[in-house]
Amino acid sequence: MANRLSLGAILLLSTALTTPALAQQAEPPAAEAAPPASDPAAEAPQAAEAPQEEVDVSGSGTDLGNEIVVTGRFIPNPVRATPEVITVLSSAEIARAGDGDVAGALTRVTGLSVVGSGFVYVRGLGDRYSLALLNGSPLPSPEPLKRVVPLDIFPTNILASVVVQKSFSPNFPGEFGGGVINLTTKAIPEEDFFEVGASISGDTETTGYFGYTHFGDRSDWTGFEGGARSIPAPLKAALGSGSLIAPGAAFSNDALETIGISLTNSATSVVQRTKNIRPNFSGDLSWGNSFEAGDTRLGVIATLSYSNSWRTRDAIQQFSAGTVLTPDVNFRSVRSDNQILLNGMLALGAEFGDHKVRLTNLIIRDTLKLSRLSRGTDVIASSADQEILKQETAWYERQLINSQFVGEFEFGDLDLDIRASYANSKRDAPYERSFSYAFNDTVQNFTNDLRSVNQSARISFSDLEENVYSGAIDLAYKLPTAIPLSVSAGYAYTDTQRTSSRRDFRFLPDGTLNLAVAQQRPDFLLSDFNIQTYNIFITETSGQSGAAAFDAGLKVHAGYLQAEAEVVDSVRISAGVRYEDGKQFVAPINLFNSSDLTFLTPTRIANSYWLPAATVTWNFKEDMQLRAHASKTVARPQFRELARQVYQDTDADRQFFGNPFLKDSKLFNAEARYEWYYARGQRLTAAAFYKKIDNPIEVFAFIPSGSLVASFANAPSAKLYGFEMDAVKHFPFDGTEGFLSTRQIVVAANYTYSKSKITVGPGDTIILPFGATGEVRAASDFFSNGAPLTGQSDHLVNLQVGLEDTEGLSQQTLLLTYASERVTNRGAQGQPDIMERPGLRLDFVARQAVSLFGKEVNFKFEARNILGTDYKEFQNDGTNQIDINSYALGTSLSLGASVKF
């Protein structure tokens, strides 16, 4: 039990920090929705065209089966039916790679890489340049540091398809820098089903070894907080008082002591050692039913999934305060995360004639329970030989609820799409606790007097809520002209509203604690007895007035007009323009009735844009085509990038601080692409691309008061260019008998080379988030001319080699992924950039259907990161290197099974 852990146990854990922490039936692959493979000998041009694979895609103005189609006999329907550069992953193709979430599946797509917790980068551009949609409608993000929703919280079993479009078309929102990722949920099942699945997994750095946890609440395993972390009445009243919670006229020391006593203590403040972390497990249920009602086909699909997983990171975390890279702060940090995912979907669909209607309701909950102990030195704050022991506990609940209506109607040559959506996301982080103990030579023990350098106890409460209301209407009409010509137009409205608050507190004694008390474990240190005996009170440290909370909003009215025509035989042109009027604000809230309005001035960005786009497609052979594309798009700052509020990023393990002086980025995009579909389900494509970005938003580091903090600034301009290649080839065992007679080898490979350069001139300036009006500095102080954009890898490689049965479910696939080094943060002034080295990953996935008791059971085995590639984030000045955040990832193994009834 948490309340029985002594300081000796903490010391035992701290000693452990100095020793190793871990004693140590599917379709053929076609990353662009190619149809099923057939005998290459039967692929002669005069042969009748085989049926194309039907892929369910729902998106604004999207019709992948009823657009202008020129020759392109062998080009897959979704690819040839749209003039834009797209990749379509059907549910069968996602299943082949074995990835349980969308983020994992998208790592197999050319030019895409996943950074951190499921944030997708397109061609090396950060998540702010990527757009995520669900059935064509926007989604809010429960992550306060991100604009888009992390895609690793979307299980693949609820999806019918994933479309990645890399070239802008006016029917999509104008915030389209790298690409759009449109997730289409399942609506009407092809056949009735009830499926049950379960899996067990673990990794070589966590499972069966020791790690850390804290008690929290008995209901923590559900992902729902059971009341132990609820804000107590005395603190709730103080938070609503309109006054800074600190000693003074509004609060006496006795009142502040009462607040401290009311807080849940041991359950949230004591880190415990768990000797053997249990394996991860997950389970899911899905049910689908369809039936006829007159001329209408109705369907319902319901899914529910739950997973409980653990991950331990044994990390080296260093940083340097000077221009010479020496580890001024040097810690070994062992952190255990318990993540609980709970997802549910209810989808209703109806098809009548050529019309389709779907109603989708989705809930996704992602809960993280964090426990960490760190031990090391900090020469900035104290002497080099004084050891410091830090402890952190936290509980993060993220929730996303989305309800949407989609109607897709066809009236002969006229198509009408109507969309309406409401989405709500929440992020609640109660009881973020931290304790810092410093080694005392006198008593030869760690002490925390709550006052001295590196001796403190802190607690924070934060919450965020965002609502997104959106609606759209799209019309498309095929004109009765001599040449094939269609015209489409639409209107879209989006209203995003966010509220966020973070209240930080520190415990301070009204006097000096004796050494006996200072040596006590965290819950004894803040016991009711000590609080009353030594007058330990809670005081607010939320920062400048107004920085503790903010309201934010973004309203966008948009309209577009585009036309598509086959101007001459086999040449198709699509051209159009989108108009967007966007009004964005971030307004700090005067929580403390302060008369100092220095930091309460809201940020307001109001801009209107005309965003043209044009694509030319030349289908010069039945199986080949060329595309050329050009467009203009924008990228707006994220709310958190504009809010002057400090926030701890749990993935990067550093604090972020917004910049209210950011402005929109403007992009020019160009691309040329060659596509050769030389056989069914097989292809070779190559593309070259170029982007120019005015005022790109970059992350830079600075070191206030001896700690590493990141913020944001507009660099003057940047360019990104490169090329990508993609190939899929099948090797059937023709003429063989027995085991191999129905099998084939499938090879899929893609490579992306990209290069980015920031342009900084001698007179360029940037505005930093310091002071009431910002601090104007030379851009060259923070950005080097020619430096790459943050998040951009020069090289991305994906290779899949698999053996599969063409007549049943039997697949064995090796998957290799490589991403070269990329910048995560610009270095602090005078320092080199902070780099990340994703490296080489090798995975193996096997899927096999077996008949048991008259039912077909599908087994899946996964081995991830077989080579044991570590995570490394570092700085290197050519002579010295320090590890900003580096740890072993280990190899993970998973075994699962599902059965349909």
Side-chain angles (χ1 to χ4, degrees), residues 448-471:
N448 184 358
D449 63 10
L450 301 177
R451 274 193 180 280
S452 301
V453 174
N454 293 321
Q455 301 183 53
S456 63
R458 301 178 186 273
I459 189 169
S460 299
F461 299 82
S462 64
D463 62 82
L464 174 149
E465 183 167 6
E466 183 167 296
N467 293 291
V468 178
Y469 305 87
S470 66

PDB file of all heavy atoms in Angstrom, residues 448-471:
ATOM      1  N   ASN A 448      14.501  17.486   2.313  1.00  0.00           N
ATOM      2  CA  ASN A 448      13.633  18.437   1.624  1.00  0.00           C
ATOM      3  C   ASN A 448      13.017  19.345   2.675  1.00  0.00           C
ATOM      4  O   ASN A 448      12.059  18.981   3.352  1.00  0.00           O
ATOM      5  CB  ASN A 448      12.547  17.699   0.835  1.00  0.00           C
ATOM      6  CG  ASN A 448      11.683  18.647   0.017  1.00  0.00           C
ATOM      7  OD1 ASN A 448      11.854  19.867   0.051  1.00  0.00           O
ATOM      8  ND2 ASN A 448      10.738  18.082  -0.727  1.00  0.00           N
ATOM      9  N   ASP A 449      13.615  20.550   2.824  1.00  0.00           N
ATOM     10  CA  ASP A 449      13.090  21.497   3.810  1.00  0.00           C
ATOM     11  C   ASP A 449      12.048  22.434   3.191  1.00  0.00           C
ATOM     12  O   ASP A 449      11.624  23.395   3.832  1.00  0.00           O
ATOM     13  CB  ASP A 449      14.222  22.292   4.458  1.00  0.00           C
ATOM     14  CG  ASP A 449      14.973  23.165   3.451  1.00  0.00           C
ATOM     15  OD1 ASP A 449      14.521  23.314   2.292  1.00  0.00           O
ATOM     16  OD2 ASP A 449      16.041  23.700   3.822  1.00  0.00           O
ATOM     17  N   LEU A 450      11.677  22.174   1.944  1.00  0.00           N
ATOM     18  CA  LEU A 450      10.643  22.911   1.211  1.00  0.00           C
ATOM     19  C   LEU A 450      11.033  24.352   0.881  1.00  0.00           C
ATOM     20  O   LEU A 450      10.221  25.088   0.306  1.00  0.00           O
ATOM     21  CB  LEU A 450       9.308  22.925   2.000  1.00  0.00           C
ATOM     22  CG  LEU A 450       8.713  21.554   2.315  1.00  0.00           C
ATOM     23  CD1 LEU A 450       7.437  21.724   3.149  1.00  0.00           C
ATOM     24  CD2 LEU A 450       8.405  20.786   1.043  1.00  0.00           C
ATOM     25  N   ARG A 451      12.280  24.726   1.179  1.00  0.00           N
ATOM     26  CA  ARG A 451      12.684  26.110   0.954  1.00  0.00           C
ATOM     27  C   ARG A 451      13.982  26.241   0.185  1.00  0.00           C
ATOM     28  O   ARG A 451      14.117  27.089  -0.698  1.00  0.00           O
ATOM     29  CB  ARG A 451      12.857  26.847   2.293  1.00  0.00           C
ATOM     30  CG  ARG A 451      11.602  27.455   2.851  1.00  0.00           C
ATOM     31  CD  ARG A 451      11.937  28.413   3.982  1.00  0.00           C
ATOM     32  NE  ARG A 451      10.748  29.017   4.546  1.00  0.00           N
ATOM     33  CZ  ARG A 451      10.107  30.046   3.991  1.00  0.00           C
ATOM     34  NH1 ARG A 451      10.544  30.568   2.870  1.00  0.00           N
ATOM     35  NH2 ARG A 451       9.025  30.535   4.574  1.00  0.00           N
ATOM     36  N   SER A 452      14.948  25.420   0.522  1.00  0.00           N
ATOM     37  CA  SER A 452      16.299  25.591  -0.008  1.00  0.00           C
ATOM     38  C   SER A 452      16.350  25.231  -1.488  1.00  0.00           C
ATOM     39  O   SER A 452      15.413  24.672  -2.067  1.00  0.00           O
ATOM     40  CB  SER A 452      17.284  24.734   0.790  1.00  0.00           C
ATOM     41  OG  SER A 452      17.272  25.092   2.157  1.00  0.00           O
ATOM     42  N   VAL A 453      17.509  25.535  -2.084  1.00  0.00           N
ATOM     43  CA  VAL A 453      17.721  25.221  -3.490  1.00  0.00           C
ATOM     44  C   VAL A 453      17.583  23.713  -3.702  1.00  0.00           C
ATOM     45  O   VAL A 453      18.111  22.915  -2.918  1.00  0.00           O
ATOM     46  CB  VAL A 453      19.124  25.696  -3.936  1.00  0.00           C
ATOM     47  CG1 VAL A 453      19.423  25.243  -5.360  1.00  0.00           C
ATOM     48  CG2 VAL A 453      19.218  27.213  -3.825  1.00  0.00           C
ATOM     49  N   ASN A 454      16.857  23.332  -4.737  1.00  0.00           N
ATOM     50  CA  ASN A 454      16.615  21.922  -5.093  1.00  0.00           C
ATOM     51  C   ASN A 454      15.849  21.163  -4.016  1.00  0.00           C
ATOM     52  O   ASN A 454      15.907  19.930  -3.957  1.00  0.00           O
ATOM     53  CB  ASN A 454      17.932  21.187  -5.385  1.00  0.00           C
ATOM     54  CG  ASN A 454      18.613  21.702  -6.644  1.00  0.00           C
ATOM     55  OD1 ASN A 454      17.945  22.003  -7.632  1.00  0.00           O
ATOM     56  ND2 ASN A 454      19.930  21.834  -6.589  1.00  0.00           N
ATOM     57  N   GLN A 455      15.123  21.874  -3.165  1.00  0.00           N
ATOM     58  CA  GLN A 455      14.289  21.238  -2.146  1.00  0.00           C
ATOM     59  C   GLN A 455      12.905  21.872  -2.196  1.00  0.00           C
ATOM     60  O   GLN A 455      12.731  23.039  -1.831  1.00  0.00           O
ATOM     61  CB  GLN A 455      14.908  21.380  -0.752  1.00  0.00           C
ATOM     62  CG  GLN A 455      16.304  20.769  -0.645  1.00  0.00           C
ATOM     63  CD  GLN A 455      16.875  20.849   0.757  1.00  0.00           C
ATOM     64  OE1 GLN A 455      16.246  20.430   1.723  1.00  0.00           O
ATOM     65  NE2 GLN A 455      18.086  21.393   0.877  1.00  0.00           N
ATOM     66  N   SER A 456      11.933  21.111  -2.679  1.00  0.00           N
ATOM     67  CA  SER A 456      10.616  21.704  -2.898  1.00  0.00           C
ATOM     68  C   SER A 456       9.553  20.621  -3.004  1.00  0.00           C
ATOM     69  O   SER A 456       9.850  19.437  -3.193  1.00  0.00           O
ATOM     70  CB  SER A 456      10.604  22.546  -4.179  1.00  0.00           C
ATOM     71  OG  SER A 456      10.860  21.721  -5.311  1.00  0.00           O
ATOM     72  N   ALA A 457       8.307  21.043  -2.895  1.00  0.00           N
ATOM     73  CA  ALA A 457       7.136  20.201  -3.143  1.00  0.00           C
ATOM     74  C   ALA A 457       6.140  21.048  -3.916  1.00  0.00           C
ATOM     75  O   ALA A 457       5.774  22.145  -3.470  1.00  0.00           O
ATOM     76  CB  ALA A 457       6.540  19.697  -1.842  1.00  0.00           C
ATOM     77  N   ARG A 458       5.696  20.558  -5.058  1.00  0.00           N
ATOM     78  CA  ARG A 458       4.817  21.326  -5.940  1.00  0.00           C
ATOM     79  C   ARG A 458       3.635  20.459  -6.379  1.00  0.00           C
ATOM     80  O   ARG A 458       3.730  19.231  -6.430  1.00  0.00           O
ATOM     81  CB  ARG A 458       5.569  21.837  -7.171  1.00  0.00           C
ATOM     82  CG  ARG A 458       6.752  22.739  -6.821  1.00  0.00           C
ATOM     83  CD  ARG A 458       7.501  23.191  -8.075  1.00  0.00           C
ATOM     84  NE  ARG A 458       8.696  23.935  -7.744  1.00  0.00           N
ATOM     85  CZ  ARG A 458       8.737  25.255  -7.533  1.00  0.00           C
ATOM     86  NH1 ARG A 458       7.612  25.960  -7.617  1.00  0.00           N
ATOM     87  NH2 ARG A 458       9.870  25.852  -7.238  1.00  0.00           N
ATOM     88  N   ILE A 459       2.551  21.133  -6.728  1.00  0.00           N
ATOM     89  CA  ILE A 459       1.371  20.450  -7.246  1.00  0.00           C
ATOM     90  C   ILE A 459       0.689  21.369  -8.265  1.00  0.00           C
ATOM     91  O   ILE A 459       0.711  22.604  -8.117  1.00  0.00           O
ATOM     92  CB  ILE A 459       0.399  20.067  -6.107  1.00  0.00           C
ATOM     93  CG1 ILE A 459      -0.712  19.168  -6.617  1.00  0.00           C
ATOM     94  CG2 ILE A 459      -0.159  21.302  -5.421  1.00  0.00           C
ATOM     95  CD1 ILE A 459      -1.549  18.544  -5.510  1.00  0.00           C
ATOM     96  N   SER A 460       0.131  20.769  -9.312  1.00  0.00           N
ATOM     97  CA  SER A 460      -0.530  21.541 -10.376  1.00  0.00           C
ATOM     98  C   SER A 460      -1.843  20.874 -10.749  1.00  0.00           C
ATOM     99  O   SER A 460      -1.988  19.646 -10.659  1.00  0.00           O
ATOM    100  CB  SER A 460       0.362  21.641 -11.615  1.00  0.00           C
ATOM    101  OG  SER A 460       1.571  22.300 -11.336  1.00  0.00           O
ATOM    102  N   PHE A 461      -2.785  21.716 -11.171  1.00  0.00           N
ATOM    103  CA  PHE A 461      -4.075  21.261 -11.682  1.00  0.00           C
ATOM    104  C   PHE A 461      -4.313  21.968 -13.024  1.00  0.00           C
ATOM    105  O   PHE A 461      -4.245  23.195 -13.096  1.00  0.00           O
ATOM    106  CB  PHE A 461      -5.213  21.616 -10.719  1.00  0.00           C
ATOM    107  CG  PHE A 461      -5.085  20.988  -9.357  1.00  0.00           C
ATOM    108  CD1 PHE A 461      -4.275  21.565  -8.381  1.00  0.00           C
ATOM    109  CD2 PHE A 461      -5.762  19.819  -9.057  1.00  0.00           C
ATOM    110  CE1 PHE A 461      -4.155  20.991  -7.132  1.00  0.00           C
ATOM    111  CE2 PHE A 461      -5.639  19.244  -7.801  1.00  0.00           C
ATOM    112  CZ  PHE A 461      -4.843  19.824  -6.827  1.00  0.00           C
ATOM    113  N   SER A 462      -4.575  21.199 -14.054  1.00  0.00           N
ATOM    114  CA  SER A 462      -4.829  21.823 -15.353  1.00  0.00           C
ATOM    115  C   SER A 462      -5.966  21.104 -16.056  1.00  0.00           C
ATOM    116  O   SER A 462      -6.193  19.907 -15.851  1.00  0.00           O
ATOM    117  CB  SER A 462      -3.572  21.801 -16.227  1.00  0.00           C
ATOM    118  OG  SER A 462      -3.181  20.480 -16.539  1.00  0.00           O
ATOM    119  N   ASP A 463      -6.681  21.847 -16.862  1.00  0.00           N
ATOM    120  CA  ASP A 463      -7.739  21.245 -17.675  1.00  0.00           C
ATOM    121  C   ASP A 463      -7.899  22.046 -18.954  1.00  0.00           C
ATOM    122  O   ASP A 463      -7.580  23.245 -19.018  1.00  0.00           O
ATOM    123  CB  ASP A 463      -9.069  21.175 -16.915  1.00  0.00           C
ATOM    124  CG  ASP A 463      -9.598  22.546 -16.541  1.00  0.00           C
ATOM    125  OD1 ASP A 463     -10.229  23.193 -17.396  1.00  0.00           O
ATOM    126  OD2 ASP A 463      -9.359  23.004 -15.394  1.00  0.00           O
ATOM    127  N   LEU A 464      -8.350  21.366 -19.958  1.00  0.00           N
ATOM    128  CA  LEU A 464      -8.547  21.959 -21.281  1.00  0.00           C
ATOM    129  C   LEU A 464      -9.815  21.370 -21.867  1.00  0.00           C
ATOM    130  O   LEU A 464     -10.092  20.178 -21.720  1.00  0.00           O
ATOM    131  CB  LEU A 464      -7.358  21.649 -22.192  1.00  0.00           C
ATOM    132  CG  LEU A 464      -7.426  22.053 -23.667  1.00  0.00           C
ATOM    133  CD1 LEU A 464      -6.031  22.381 -24.185  1.00  0.00           C
ATOM    134  CD2 LEU A 464      -8.014  20.944 -24.543  1.00  0.00           C
ATOM    135  N   GLU A 465     -10.594  22.209 -22.543  1.00  0.00           N
ATOM    136  CA  GLU A 465     -11.769  21.725 -23.259  1.00  0.00           C
ATOM    137  C   GLU A 465     -11.886  22.475 -24.571  1.00  0.00           C
ATOM    138  O   GLU A 465     -11.704  23.692 -24.628  1.00  0.00           O
ATOM    139  CB  GLU A 465     -13.044  21.900 -22.435  1.00  0.00           C
ATOM    140  CG  GLU A 465     -14.274  21.335 -23.129  1.00  0.00           C
ATOM    141  CD  GLU A 465     -15.479  21.217 -22.202  1.00  0.00           C
ATOM    142  OE1 GLU A 465     -15.377  21.679 -21.052  1.00  0.00           O
ATOM    143  OE2 GLU A 465     -16.506  20.657 -22.633  1.00  0.00           O
ATOM    144  N   GLU A 466     -12.192  21.730 -25.614  1.00  0.00           N
ATOM    145  CA  GLU A 466     -12.326  22.332 -26.940  1.00  0.00           C
ATOM    146  C   GLU A 466     -13.573  21.789 -27.613  1.00  0.00           C
ATOM    147  O   GLU A 466     -13.831  20.579 -27.589  1.00  0.00           O
ATOM    148  CB  GLU A 466     -11.089  22.038 -27.791  1.00  0.00           C
ATOM    149  CG  GLU A 466     -11.117  22.702 -29.162  1.00  0.00           C
ATOM    150  CD  GLU A 466      -9.760  22.643 -29.849  1.00  0.00           C
ATOM    151  OE1 GLU A 466      -8.809  23.258 -29.318  1.00  0.00           O
ATOM    152  OE2 GLU A 466      -9.652  21.967 -30.894  1.00  0.00           O
ATOM    153  N   ASN A 467     -14.339  22.684 -28.231  1.00  0.00           N
ATOM    154  CA  ASN A 467     -15.521  22.318 -29.006  1.00  0.00           C
ATOM    155  C   ASN A 467     -15.325  22.759 -30.443  1.00  0.00           C
ATOM    156  O   ASN A 467     -14.853  23.877 -30.696  1.00  0.00           O
ATOM    157  CB  ASN A 467     -16.778  22.969 -28.428  1.00  0.00           C
ATOM    158  CG  ASN A 467     -17.140  22.422 -27.060  1.00  0.00           C
ATOM    159  OD1 ASN A 467     -17.549  21.278 -26.929  1.00  0.00           O
ATOM    160  ND2 ASN A 467     -16.976  23.240 -26.034  1.00  0.00           N
ATOM    161  N   VAL A 468     -15.691  21.899 -31.353  1.00  0.00           N
ATOM    162  CA  VAL A 468     -15.595  22.221 -32.776  1.00  0.00           C
ATOM    163  C   VAL A 468     -16.950  21.957 -33.420  1.00  0.00           C
ATOM    164  O   VAL A 468     -17.461  20.827 -33.387  1.00  0.00           O
ATOM    165  CB  VAL A 468     -14.513  21.388 -33.486  1.00  0.00           C
ATOM    166  CG1 VAL A 468     -14.487  21.715 -34.978  1.00  0.00           C
ATOM    167  CG2 VAL A 468     -13.143  21.647 -32.877  1.00  0.00           C
ATOM    168  N   TYR A 469     -17.521  23.018 -33.985  1.00  0.00           N
ATOM    169  CA  TYR A 469     -18.762  22.910 -34.743  1.00  0.00           C
ATOM    170  C   TYR A 469     -18.420  23.137 -36.215  1.00  0.00           C
ATOM    171  O   TYR A 469     -17.747  24.119 -36.558  1.00  0.00           O
ATOM    172  CB  TYR A 469     -19.771  23.972 -34.285  1.00  0.00           C
ATOM    173  CG  TYR A 469     -20.055  23.953 -32.797  1.00  0.00           C
ATOM    174  CD1 TYR A 469     -19.251  24.682 -31.911  1.00  0.00           C
ATOM    175  CD2 TYR A 469     -21.122  23.230 -32.280  1.00  0.00           C
ATOM    176  CE1 TYR A 469     -19.506  24.669 -30.541  1.00  0.00           C
ATOM    177  CE2 TYR A 469     -21.389  23.223 -30.911  1.00  0.00           C
ATOM    178  CZ  TYR A 469     -20.580  23.944 -30.059  1.00  0.00           C
ATOM    179  OH  TYR A 469     -20.834  23.935 -28.702  1.00  0.00           O
ATOM    180  N   SER A 470     -18.879  22.244 -37.057  1.00  0.00           N
ATOM    181  CA  SER A 470     -18.551  22.400 -38.473  1.00  0.00           C
ATOM    182  C   SER A 470     -19.709  21.938 -39.334  1.00  0.00           C
ATOM    183  O   SER A 470     -20.503  21.070 -38.946  1.00  0.00           O
ATOM    184  CB  SER A 470     -17.281  21.616 -38.830  1.00  0.00           C
ATOM    185  OG  SER A 470     -17.491  20.225 -38.697  1.00  0.00           O
ATOM    186  N   GLY A 471     -19.785  22.530 -40.507  1.00  0.00           N
ATOM    187  CA  GLY A 471     -20.794  22.151 -41.485  1.00  0.00           C
ATOM    188  C   GLY A 471     -20.282  22.446 -42.875  1.00  0.00           C
ATOM    189  O   GLY A 471     -19.447  23.338 -43.071  1.00  0.00           O
TER     190      GLY A 471
END
